[in-house]
Amino acid sequence: MTRLTVQEKNGKIYCPLKDEWHVSKPEEKVRQAWVCKLVNEYGYSLDQMGQEISVTNSKKSTGEARGDGNARADLVVWKSKEDKLANKHAFIVVELKSENVRVRVEDYYQGYNYASWAGASFFVTSNEKETKFFNVDPEYLPKKLEEIIGIPTAEEALSDKKVSEILNKTKTFTREEFTKTLKSCHNIIRNNDKLSPEAAFDEISKILFMKIREERKNQGAKVFTKAEYTNGKKLYEENIRPNLSGDDKNLEYMQFLFRSTKEEFKDDRLFEQNEVIKIRENSFEQILEKLENYNLSDTQDDVKGIAFEQFLGTTFRGELGQFFTPRTIVDFMVSILDPQEGEVICDPTCGSGGFLIKAFEYVREKIERDIKDIKSGLRKQLEGKDYESKSEAEQLEINKHIDEMQQIINKELDTQQAGDKDKKIPESRMYSLSHNCIYGTDANPRMARTSKMNMIMHGDGHGGVHHHDGLLNVNGIFEERFDVILTNPPFGARVDKSLKISETDRFTDEKLIAKYTKRYGVEYTKALKQVNDNIGNSILDLYDTGKMSGLTEVLFMERCLRLLKKGGRMGMVLPEGVLNTSNLAKVREYFEGRAKIILICSIPQDVFIAAGATVKPSLVFFKRFTEEEERKYADCVAMAQNEKRAEKQDKIDELNAEKEKLLDSKKREDKARIKEINKMLDTIEQQIIEEAKPRIKELFDYEIPIAMVNDAGITATGAATENKELKQLVKEFNAYNDKVKLWQHHDYSVLYEYNVGTDGSIVRTFNKDEEVLSW
């Protein structure tokens, strides 16, 4: 039987169910891909299917459709050609979104309503990345959708028993199930290959990347199964391997697939060039069997992302001794700093990527809410005030424009929409977030790779994460670049004076240097000098506080402060009281002269015991001085020191007068006296500086909110609690911030405007002065 394929030419796509060529829009591409899938994979014929079929709401529900009878299902499948011709109840209803659009809960309900009105037994919703299957109970519209494992094939559709079995086979891909599966894969490697926990985790990461690549390549179909691997291996041995040369002739199929995966992700630098799969083939096949029921490309980001985090938490905390910031703390800290669209965010000690992932999701939610409001507003513009009084033909034409508008605006949510500035096509807002706003480093290569995988599992944003020393510049991570920094730096350890910047720290990739120089300009060239001009010097010498302390937390506090733009804000997990100890007094003064402390939150040590920590931490939030605050602080310092200098001026004048008389003398005792006077003047100057410090605090006075939380959402055993206190503290802090205006948001979402052009096109205006036409 000939496979049905999607046909495209001259910007149009063939729709076999209508025997028409339509404009090749993103949603149409997804729709025709699904027509092919229903034919090729499920065995349905074109004559038992329909496209854009009108479904009516016999129950007169609350009106998801625009006017009675205007609701149209993307694809409808009947049990047979005869059922379709007889206008009997549908069997399957498929609702589709373009690939870049996340399917929201309300979309599920709307499509489910369509399926119910059509009398269908099954409802499918897909955007190619995510696919969900539901059974349909025609007796009621549900408060909770019941997801199932799939839909019947054309052959199974003819068996009432088979249909009943599938309808009742509820899907069980939960976070808990996926977490258990990952643990099971981990145990296979530990038992079969005798690898350490760390090494076993690395092998699972490789296989997950391989699986994601295969799924992307096959557009969400069920791939990377053991059976598929066996068939692929046979073809490889017969047709590909014999044509390889040199050492490649010895390349096993498993290694061949992994090499292709390394090539796919080469720009992300996930793996070393000579990296290979380090487990036996039978272990590899057992893991494929464990994972083959999951489609990571079709699964919601929050399900697979949180499952992966849970697996990380138990594996690394229990077996590897790595430190992770509990999710309740991450959520709280991100909410306090409230990152906005367009702001650049960094974690220079990112670990598994928890802060970066939450910040990414937090801003993504803002964009998605804004896009939803924009589509609603544009729809009203297109409908006009007299929509209901228009003829059906006029309404259909308006609906066509509304669908086109939604396709245009939905591109803002595409993380792959890079745009073309030469043609005045802008980057999508989600692409900008994913590619321009998220940065992180970790000195541990395993952690850097884990962070990248974790971010992919949560929906992307991984490209700015690097394996690199967080105290040194790399890519876009350099001074005065960031609006928001969130981090849990290593603390309790010391950087030794003997730790030098070496040639291995020098960045030498000329291709990437050229790319980053083009992207960041002269600032990147300056950033490279931090390493290139200091080869052989101690890392401590790069930092002012390095002369005061070698504690890692102190150095990272200064590093983060330097990374921030003026007025930027940061939240850090720090040992409690780190800025109050007498031996770090100079360190506190250093930071007091450069940033405001905007909140200190003391939390129970229990929160971090579950993550393996032994030091009681606090959450400390800073805001780097704005230029105005820098001037004000400098004025306060000058005023306070002048006041103290005035108190000692008589003594200063007396000593200076005596020194003046002795300057021309050549007597040994007079020269000795001059040295003594200079020393006395230096001592007085130091006294002035010290005695002025309390007065500076009086002059540059501001409130420092301090909170003590007893329930931070997690117990010493890792169990979740109600977490009411942190949530309440966020509300209280937001109210306080609204009152005192700790910082001014540069909310990029309010800079975007969308309007319907005179020719019906969608016009996007950015920042009030740059107009860019729709894609």
Side-chain angles (χ1 to χ4, degrees):
M1 179 178 176
T2 304
R3 287 180 63 86
L4 186 66
T5 59
V6 177
Q7 300 179 55
E8 290 187 77
K9 64 180 180 182
N10 301 325
K12 291 194 173 184
I13 188 168
Y14 182 62
C15 305
L17 294 177
K18 287 182 171 286
D19 193 22
E20 297 171 352
W21 288 86
H22 288 187
V23 175
S24 185
K25 296 185 291 188
E27 186 169 334
E28 194 64 69
K29 291 182 180 181
V30 176
R31 182 155 50 206
Q32 297 315 315
W34 259 92
V35 171
C36 294
K37 184 177 292 190
L38 288 166
V39 172
N40 299 331
E41 296 181 23
Y42 291 95
Y44 292 101
S45 62
L46 292 175
D47 57 14
Q48 65 185 112
M49 298 160 58
Q51 175 175 325
E52 294 176 285
I53 301 298
S54 177
V55 290
T56 57
N57 181 2
S58 60
K59 297 186 180 182
K60 301 295 182 189
S61 185
T62 53
E64 289 285 358
R66 295 185 293 273
D68 192 20
N70 283 335
R72 293 180 176 273
D74 281 308
L75 296 173
V76 175
V77 182
W78 283 265
K79 276 194 174 184
S80 65
K81 172 184 176 182
E82 291 71 27
D83 281 1
K84 177 184 177 182
L85 293 173
N87 204 25
K88 289 187 177 181
H89 281 170
F91 184 50
I92 302 169
V93 167
V94 183
E95 274 298 297
L96 302 164
K97 300 288 182 183
S98 58
E99 187 176 2
N100 53 308
V101 180
R102 292 182 79 210
V103 181
R104 314 298 297 177
V105 173
E106 54 264 33
D107 297 323
Y108 295 137
Y109 280 105
Q110 179 175 325
Y112 187 100
N113 289 348
Y114 290 177
S116 179
W117 301 337
S121 300
F122 295 90
F123 163 56
V124 181
T125 182
S126 177
N127 65 356
E128 282 304 298
K129 182 181 178 184
E130 297 177 26
T131 299
K132 284 182 176 288
F133 307 95
F134 301 95
N135 63 20
V136 182
D137 188 333
E139 295 303 316
Y140 69 98
L141 297 180
K143 293 182 180 178
K144 183 179 180 181
L145 294 164
E146 187 170 60
E147 194 175 354
I148 55 176
I149 61 168
I151 55 174
T153 62
E155 183 179 347
E156 290 170 334
L158 302 177
S159 167
D160 290 342
K161 182 180 179 182
K162 278 286 185 184
V163 170
S164 179
E165 286 177 359
I166 295 171
L167 280 170
N168 292 306
K169 199 166 184 180
T170 304
K171 188 173 182 181
T172 56
F173 185 176
T174 63
R175 298 170 187 170
E176 291 72 23
E177 180 197 4
F178 190 41
T179 305
K180 288 178 182 176
T181 299
L182 291 174
K183 290 180 183 176
S184 178
C185 294
H186 196 251
N187 288 335
I188 287 171
I189 297 173
R190 297 287 307 281
N191 295 332
N192 290 1
D193 301 277
K194 311 303 179 187
L195 297 184
S196 68
E198 304 95 317
F201 176 82
D202 288 344
E203 297 310 300
I204 289 175
S205 291
K206 293 172 188 175
I207 295 172
L208 288 174
F209 276 112
M210 293 169 75
K211 181 171 174 62
I212 286 171
R213 173 186 177 270
E214 290 297 315
E215 289 176 353
R216 287 178 177 177
K217 189 174 69 174
N218 290 276
Q219 296 187 330
K222 187 177 180 181
V223 296
F224 218 51
T225 63
K226 182 180 178 182
E228 184 194 50
Y229 177 79
T230 301
N231 292 334
K233 181 179 178 181
K234 183 179 179 182
L235 291 172
Y236 171 76
E237 296 290 350
E238 292 175 355
N239 302 321
I240 299 176
R241 191 169 182 174
N243 296 318
L244 298 177
S245 58
D247 291 340
D248 287 350
K249 278 193 174 292
N250 299 320
L251 201 62
E252 295 178 347
Y253 183 53
M254 175 177 69
Q255 304 294 355
F256 176 77
L257 290 177
F258 180 57
R259 188 167 71 175
S260 301
T261 300
K262 287 194 296 182
E263 181 64 23
E264 180 85 11
F265 291 99
K266 66 178 180 180
D267 289 345
D268 294 322
R269 301 190 164 214
L270 291 172
F271 305 102
E272 296 295 331
Q273 191 172 357
N274 59 352
E275 188 73 55
V276 296
I277 299 287
K278 298 174 183 175
I279 58 175
R280 304 173 188 180
E281 190 174 34
N282 70 320
S283 299
F284 185 82
E285 290 177 348
Q286 286 181 52
I287 291 171
L288 291 188
E289 277 191 299
K290 292 286 184 184
L291 294 175
E292 67 182 23
N293 290 325
Y294 304 99
N295 192 320
L296 300 181
S297 299
D298 282 352
T299 305
Q300 284 183 301
D301 297 333
D302 61 345
V303 173
K304 65 189 177 193
I306 294 174
F308 188 70
E309 280 189 12
Q310 289 174 346
F311 169 60
L312 285 178
T314 54
T315 303
F316 279 70
R317 182 175 64 241
E319 300 183 33
L320 306 183
Q322 295 288 339
F323 183 83
F324 294 90
T325 311
R327 192 174 183 86
T328 57
I329 301 302
V330 171
D331 291 351
F332 169 72
M333 293 177 69
V334 172
S335 296
I336 289 292
L337 293 183
D338 189 24
Q340 302 293 307
E341 182 180 1
E343 291 189 319
V344 190
I345 302 159
C346 180
D347 181 352
T349 61
C350 65
S352 64
F355 281 120
L356 297 179
I357 287 164
K358 178 61 183 178
F360 173 81
E361 292 178 331
Y362 188 90
V363 178
R364 179 175 66 188
E365 287 293 325
K366 287 178 179 286
I367 296 172
E368 289 174 344
R369 288 195 298 269
D370 190 53
I371 293 297
K372 182 178 178 182
D373 291 342
I374 286 165
K375 288 195 290 188
S376 177
L378 290 176
R379 176 174 168 175
K380 288 179 181 177
Q381 285 188 51
L382 288 165
E383 285 182 342
K385 295 181 180 179
D386 57 346
Y387 174 83
E388 294 299 334
S389 64
K390 293 183 183 296
S391 68
E392 182 176 349
E394 288 174 318
Q395 288 184 355
L396 286 173
E397 184 65 21
I398 290 172
N399 291 345
K400 178 183 175 183
H401 286 305
I402 288 172
D403 288 341
E404 290 172 350
M405 172 274 292
Q406 289 177 334
Q407 294 298 333
I408 291 168
I409 302 303
N410 284 342
K411 287 185 179 180
E412 295 283 28
L413 301 173
D414 186 357
T415 57
Q416 303 306 314
Q417 176 62 42
D420 186 338
K421 293 178 181 177
D422 292 336
K423 296 180 181 178
K424 301 300 183 185
I425 300 174
E427 290 181 342
S428 76
R429 290 164 69 174
M430 272 304 301
Y431 179 92
S432 182
L433 169 64
S434 180
H435 292 73
N436 302 332
C437 297
I438 305 294
Y439 291 83
T441 56
D442 201 277
N444 184 316
R446 180 173 290 114
M447 285 294 93
R449 186 163 61 245
T450 299
S451 179
K452 282 179 175 286
M453 169 59 80
N454 206 358
M455 295 204 74
I456 288 173
M457 288 285 189
H458 281 84
D460 223 329
H462 67 283
V465 178
H466 298 268
H467 166 222
H468 201 261
D469 189 329
L471 293 170
L472 302 177
N473 294 338
V474 65
N475 188 352
I477 302 175
F478 52 83
E479 288 75 3
E480 298 197 8
R481 265 271 295 154
F482 297 97
D483 300 280
V484 176
I485 288 178
L486 290 142
T487 193
N488 182 356
F491 47 78
R494 290 184 178 275
V495 174
D496 195 85
K497 184 75 174 175
S498 62
L499 182 61
K500 308 287 186 182
I501 300 170
S502 69
E503 282 292 339
T504 58
D505 296 312
R506 192 192 296 273
F507 194 59
T508 58
D509 189 321
E510 293 299 330
K511 186 177 178 181
L512 283 178
I513 288 174
K515 175 183 175 181
Y516 297 150
T517 302
K518 181 179 179 181
R519 183 174 184 180
Y520 305 115
V522 67
E523 296 304 317
Y524 178 71
T525 305
K526 293 178 183 176
L528 287 178
K529 293 181 180 180
Q530 185 217 36
V531 171
N532 296 346
D533 291 357
N534 287 284
I535 302 296
N537 295 335
S538 171
I539 286 182
L540 287 178
D541 292 340
L542 293 179
Y543 292 94
D544 298 332
T545 55
K547 302 175 183 66
M548 310 171 197
S549 171
L551 286 171
T552 49
E553 58 265 35
V554 170
L555 292 173
F556 272 105
M557 284 169 66
E558 183 181 347
R559 170 64 166 168
C560 291
L561 197 63
R562 290 187 178 198
L563 291 174
L564 282 178
K565 298 174 183 176
K566 291 178 181 179
R569 55 206 189 275
M570 65 181 178
M572 304 183 74
V573 181
L574 292 169
E576 188 153 287
V578 66
L579 294 178
N580 291 329
T581 57
S582 57
N583 59 333
L584 291 179
K586 288 187 178 296
V587 170
R588 181 183 178 103
E589 289 164 12
Y590 178 86
F591 289 104
E592 285 178 339
R594 289 161 177 80
K596 285 184 174 181
I597 299 174
I598 56 177
L599 175 65
I600 298 174
C601 180
S602 175
I603 55 176
Q605 187 171 354
D606 287 359
V607 173
F608 287 88
I609 286 177
T614 56
V615 179
K616 188 178 189 304
S618 283
L619 312 179
V620 185
F621 299 85
F622 301 87
K623 189 198 79 171
R624 183 176 170 178
F625 286 168
T626 61
E627 288 187 2
E628 181 183 348
E629 287 167 336
E630 285 180 340
R631 287 192 296 269
K632 183 179 178 182
Y633 186 81
D635 290 344
C636 291
V637 171
M639 185 182 296
Q641 291 182 357
N642 287 339
E643 287 176 4
K644 293 301 175 183
R645 189 171 287 107
E647 295 174 7
K648 302 178 186 295
Q649 195 62 51
D650 290 345
K651 183 63 174 176
I652 294 171
D653 291 344
E654 179 186 325
L655 289 171
N656 280 327
E658 183 183 353
K659 186 170 78 168
E660 186 71 26
K661 293 177 182 178
L662 299 174
L663 284 177
D664 294 331
S665 174
K666 296 184 179 181
K667 294 180 181 179
R668 183 180 297 175
E669 59 268 27
D670 290 342
K671 289 182 178 181
R673 177 58 180 165
I674 289 173
K675 287 184 179 179
E676 187 178 348
I677 290 172
N678 286 336
K679 189 173 181 180
M680 292 171 68
L681 287 170
D682 288 342
T683 301
I684 292 172
E685 194 60 33
Q686 287 301 312
Q687 289 173 349
I688 291 170
I689 292 171
E690 290 299 318
E691 292 173 12
K693 287 175 181 177
R695 179 60 176 151
I696 294 170
K697 289 184 178 181
E698 290 177 10
L699 294 170
F700 195 79
D701 189 29
Y702 63 92
E703 183 179 357
I704 300 178
I706 298 176
M708 183 170 289
V709 171
N710 295 312
D711 176 10
I714 188 170
T715 68
T717 61
T721 65
E722 289 188 71
N723 192 23
K724 290 181 179 178
E725 290 185 60
L726 286 181
K727 293 176 182 177
Q728 180 60 31
L729 184 53
V730 170
K731 292 179 182 178
E732 292 175 4
F733 181 82
N734 287 341
Y736 166 73
N737 194 5
D738 288 342
K739 179 181 177 182
V740 301
K741 306 294 183 189
L742 290 170
W743 59 79
Q744 293 295 319
H745 275 317
H746 301 288
D747 188 350
Y748 279 69
S749 64
V750 302
L751 300 180
Y752 289 101
E753 290 184 1
Y754 301 81
N755 289 287
V756 179
T758 55
D759 60 352
S761 65
I762 304 302
V763 178
R764 179 207 209 198
T765 307
F766 177 72
N767 202 18
K768 305 294 183 185
D769 58 7
E770 182 183 358
E771 188 174 87
V772 184
L773 291 179
S774 57
W775 292 270

